[in-house]
Amino acid sequence: MSTYFTEQQQLLAQMVRDFAEREIRPQMKHWDDHEIFPIEVMKKMGELGLLGIFIPEEYGGSGFGYNEYATVLMELGKVCGGVGLSVAAHNSLCTGHIYYHGTEAQKQKYLPKLASGEWIGAWGLTEANTGSDAMRMKATAVQDGDHWVLNGSKNWITHGLSGDVAVVLIRTGELLDSRGITAFIVEKGTPGFSAVKIKDKLGVRASETAELIFDNVRIPQENVIGEVGQGFVQAMQILDGGRISIASLSCGIARGAFEASVKYAKEREQFGQPIAHFQAIGFKLADMATQIEAAELLTFQAAAKKDAKQPVTKEGAFAKYFASEVSVTCGNEAVQIMGGYGYTKEYPAEKFLRDSKLMTIGEGTSEIQKLVISREILK
């Protein structure tokens, strides 16, 4: 896609590429092996403006659009899906929720810290028993004077342990009422608020995942985002944009797997010649390249509509569904092309495959994307 990039995107892509080669690639295997969240590298990315990419400069952000945001995530995904996922979750979910739906006071208080990387952000919707069926959440908030008392838990939360602030969706009304959920800002260190790390994940192991626990956590009214009862509607809008970020990361993972496959196929010899010369391998590479190109086009289409402030529900689902499935296909084909070597951690293919799988699950499964698409086209 570089031939379609603006000069600004090309410069941004090169900056991220250089950073990833210098700061991420040398350590990513260690982080992956030991499930280490490289928080200091995250903070360095904050210094580069990568943790407030689409946040206006007045709030300490970089003031870019979603096209640039997609570009950054594609470059990170080519190297490490785990680090890319952390950048995506921080930008699209926590920071984005406060930016798009917060009060001016909330924006002034939190966005400069989040955009600079001084603070790391988390976002909580999913619970142990409610993933796609979010309206059945059990975590509750009850008003007590000018405070709200939160009880329950959230699961599979990126940066749940290390995050300095979390935006969480909590039920304030009746079960199954889409107007019965409210968004709250919860700061780390608030009494009763704790987290437990989730271990032994298949992939994206450099991105921290945790369970959030609320035990009579008192939150002031000023930390309610928007009006009481608007949380679910806000969350669906946030996920529309978040799906563009997962599509972008998926494209990066897919291209990383593809580039590693091309390099290997040119170097690996069998029957007296590089395996790239065999049609069976060449056709695999051709399929991978075509699918990646299509995934990138869908992703940038959705990003362009987001920048134009147009609805992106359908386009975001198109991009997320297709790109995430392409990332798994490309990871799988990379392992196949590398054969026995692809099955070892000495070569990059197996990590691309492991990291890719979450792309078809996080921020709405492939099945949910098809549900969203079908509803949109049948309206």
Side-chain angles (χ1 to χ4, degrees):
M1 283 297 296
S2 60
T3 54
Y4 304 103
F5 280 0
T6 64
E7 182 179 357
Q8 179 171 266
Q9 282 175 278
Q10 290 175 355
L11 292 172
L12 184 59
Q14 188 61 56
M15 180 191 76
V16 176
R17 199 175 301 133
D18 292 343
F19 178 87
E21 291 298 326
R22 183 178 67 252
E23 300 286 347
I24 298 174
R25 192 179 296 280
Q27 293 294 321
M28 67 179 189
K29 185 178 184 303
H30 176 69
W31 301 333
D32 183 75
D33 287 345
H34 301 283
E35 291 189 287
I36 295 171
F37 171 50
I39 191 167
E40 292 306 316
V41 171
M42 279 286 286
K43 291 184 178 295
K44 287 181 181 179
M45 287 190 283
E47 294 170 4
L48 290 177
L50 302 181
L51 297 189
I53 298 171
F54 54 80
I55 302 301
E57 293 179 12
E58 63 183 286
Y59 299 119
S62 297
F64 289 134
Y66 256 68
N67 273 306
E68 289 79 13
Y69 180 38
T71 301
V72 168
L73 292 176
M74 287 179 184
E75 290 298 328
L76 290 173
K78 283 161 58 175
V79 179
C80 180
V83 173
L85 181 66
S86 280
V87 172
H90 177 95
N91 276 279
S92 292
L93 302 181
C94 179
T95 307
H97 199 137
I98 295 172
Y99 171 57
Y100 288 117
H101 298 289
T103 64
E104 185 59 29
Q106 290 168 345
K107 293 177 186 179
Q108 294 285 354
K109 180 177 181 179
Y110 294 106
L111 292 182
K113 292 181 178 181
L114 289 165
S116 67
E118 178 185 349
W119 278 16
I120 301 299
W123 190 82
L125 174 65
T126 301
E127 297 182 3
N129 295 308
T130 57
S132 301
D133 189 12
M135 284 196 295
R136 292 184 190 273
M137 66 174 60
K138 295 183 178 179
T140 60
V142 177
Q143 192 163 16
D144 180 21
D146 58 356
H147 281 71
W148 290 81
V149 181
L150 278 56
N151 281 286
S153 63
K154 294 291 172 181
N155 213 13
W156 307 111
I157 308 306
T158 304
H159 308 146
L161 199 64
S162 296
D164 299 281
V165 62
V167 173
V168 295
L169 287 303
I170 306 288
R171 185 159 59 84
T172 51
E174 296 299 317
L175 198 67
L176 299 178
D177 180 5
S178 63
R179 297 287 177 177
I181 294 171
T182 302
F184 296 88
I185 299 173
V186 184
E187 294 184 21
K188 188 176 184 177
T190 302
F193 180 44
S194 60
V196 179
K197 184 175 180 178
I198 295 174
K199 300 179 180 180
D200 296 327
K201 295 182 298 181
L202 173 70
V204 292
R205 290 160 62 88
S207 182
E208 178 187 275
T209 309
E211 178 185 12
L212 300 181
I213 300 169
F214 307 93
D215 183 8
N216 291 316
V217 177
R218 292 182 64 82
I219 300 298
Q221 177 66 34
E222 66 193 39
N223 281 30
V224 172
I225 301 179
E227 295 180 9
V228 173
Q230 286 187 334
F232 186 77
V233 175
Q234 293 173 6
M236 294 305 101
Q237 294 172 356
I238 292 300
L239 287 173
D240 279 349
R243 286 164 182 162
I244 300 173
S245 71
I246 297 300
S248 306
L249 185 56
S250 298
C251 289
I253 292 171
R255 188 164 287 281
F258 168 72
E259 291 179 354
S261 298
V262 170
K263 182 177 183 294
Y264 181 87
K266 288 180 176 180
E267 295 173 351
R268 173 68 166 171
E269 290 192 0
Q270 290 288 275
F271 305 102
Q273 59 182 312
I275 64 171
H277 292 175
F278 297 120
Q279 191 177 74
I281 301 300
F283 278 12
K284 285 183 183 294
L285 296 173
D287 284 341
M288 292 165 75
T290 302
Q291 291 172 8
I292 292 167
E293 192 78 5
E296 289 177 346
L297 286 167
L298 279 173
T299 301
F300 281 116
Q301 171 186 261
K305 293 201 74 171
K306 179 73 172 174
D307 283 340
K309 295 181 170 57
Q310 296 177 7
V312 294
T313 299
K314 181 174 65 177
E315 287 75 14
F318 276 157
K320 199 272 186 185
Y321 168 50
F322 187 76
S324 64
E325 294 292 341
V326 166
S327 71
V328 174
T329 297
C330 289
N332 189 54
E333 290 289 45
V335 172
Q336 194 70 18
I337 288 169
M338 296 184 194
Y341 291 110
Y343 207 65
T344 71
K345 287 192 174 186
E346 183 181 353
Y347 284 72
E350 62 86 32
K351 183 176 185 298
F352 285 122
L353 179 57
R354 286 188 291 107
D355 287 351
S356 71
K357 191 55 200 168
L358 182 67
M359 303 302 108
T360 68
I361 299 170
E363 298 199 32
T365 63
S366 291
E367 291 73 21
I368 288 295
Q369 303 313 309
K370 287 192 278 190
L371 181 63
V372 170
I373 293 166
S374 64
R375 286 176 175 173
E376 288 292 310
I377 62 179
L378 293 172
K379 276 184 177 180

